[in-house]
Amino acid sequence: MKKLLLTGFVPFLHYPINPTEDIATSLDGVTIGDYEIIGRVLPVDYMQSAKQLIEHYDAVRPDVVISLGMAAGRHQITPERIAINCRSGEPDNRGVRFEDEPIEPDGPAGYFATLPIRRILIALKERGYPAEISNTAGTYLCNNVMYSMLHKIALDAADVRAGFIHLPASHELAVKDPKLPSWPQQDLRQAVVTAIMALDGEPS
Ligand code: PCA
């Protein structure tokens, strides 16, 4: 059985719920297709999140890493195409913020996801889940985690596929913040399962 490290994040900024936290927790230990899922939750903390992700990676030795984050305001499931070597913007949960700083001063400008994002997109749409490929994961913690994981895999020359999927808010969150586009939590979770099932399909 192959191993898939699946991460979510705790709530951040003014959002009291992060739907990715429950997805990572509830899928921990579950088998999806050929993969045993190891679900872990990351802090929204510049000093800790990538460090903890890499510790999980070293402990689990997964075949695939999928990190999840919430992109409040997005309407669709958005597999990310690329992570960039930049952190800039809002403060993290400990009040740390960066402006126009590299994540890795000697690292490349960016890394493309090595997940089959086109195949994931097609599978999501076939199952009736609105989705599109995103060309920016932002410059906050999600991009930071995606970049750091792909950088580590590149340095190790490891045969591990990795990438990031941003999810919209859940209805539970939209009840508290009515302007947010939202999805049922169950659909968000099932969309993640669909993405995992698509990992090893026919190339498209
Ligand atoms: N979304 C944020 C960080 C944590 C999360 O779930 C982001 O898009 O960077």
Side-chain angles (χ1 to χ4, degrees):
M1 171 100 24
K2 293 189 271 191
K3 290 185 188 167
L4 189 150
L5 176 59
L6 181 72
T7 68
F9 275 109
V10 299
F12 62 102
L13 294 175
H14 58 284
Y15 305 112
I17 297 169
N18 191 330
T20 67
E21 181 173 29
D22 176 70
I23 294 170
T25 306
S26 68
L27 290 179
D28 182 38
V30 169
T31 298
I32 301 173
D34 292 339
Y35 293 93
E36 177 194 352
I37 309 301
I38 295 96
R40 297 287 182 265
V41 177
L42 300 174
V44 174
D45 178 331
Y46 278 112
M47 301 309 152
Q48 284 297 321
S49 52
K51 181 172 169 286
Q52 289 188 18
L53 173 59
I54 286 166
E55 283 168 6
H56 294 316
Y57 170 86
D58 284 335
V60 170
R61 304 177 68 82
D63 299 283
V64 177
V65 182
I66 300 181
S67 294
L68 306 173
M70 176 178 69
R74 285 193 190 172
H75 296 257
Q76 308 191 83
I77 307 286
T78 47
E80 297 292 346
R81 190 189 302 276
I82 189 166
I84 62 172
N85 191 5
C86 177
R87 45 187 175 182
S88 194
E90 299 288 335
D92 69 11
N93 285 355
R94 295 168 65 93
V96 173
R97 71 182 292 272
F98 292 98
E99 195 169 68
D100 307 332
E101 295 264 347
I103 297 167
E104 292 287 342
D106 299 321
Y111 285 105
F112 286 116
T114 50
L115 300 178
I117 55 172
R118 182 66 55 185
R119 198 157 64 221
I120 290 172
L121 181 77
I122 291 167
L124 287 167
K125 287 182 170 178
E126 278 176 2
R127 289 290 299 267
Y129 297 121
E132 67 179 359
I133 291 173
S134 163
N135 294 313
T136 174
T139 52
Y140 192 47
L141 267 298
C142 293
N143 175 73
N144 196 130
V145 152
M146 181 181 175
Y147 184 93
S148 299
M149 190 70 262
L150 288 164
H151 185 60
K152 160 82 174 158
I153 291 168
L155 290 183
D156 289 357
D159 185 17
V160 175
R161 293 181 291 171
F164 199 97
I165 304 177
H166 263 121
L167 308 182
S170 58
H171 287 341
E172 287 81 359
L173 191 51
V175 167
K176 300 173 196 297
D177 192 343
K179 293 212 180 79
L180 285 179
S182 63
W183 284 39
Q185 179 73 22
Q186 191 52 35
D187 283 1
L188 293 174
R189 185 179 188 274
Q190 202 50 42
V192 171
V193 171
T194 300
I196 294 170
M197 295 288 288
L199 286 173
D200 298 312
E202 291 296 308
S204 55

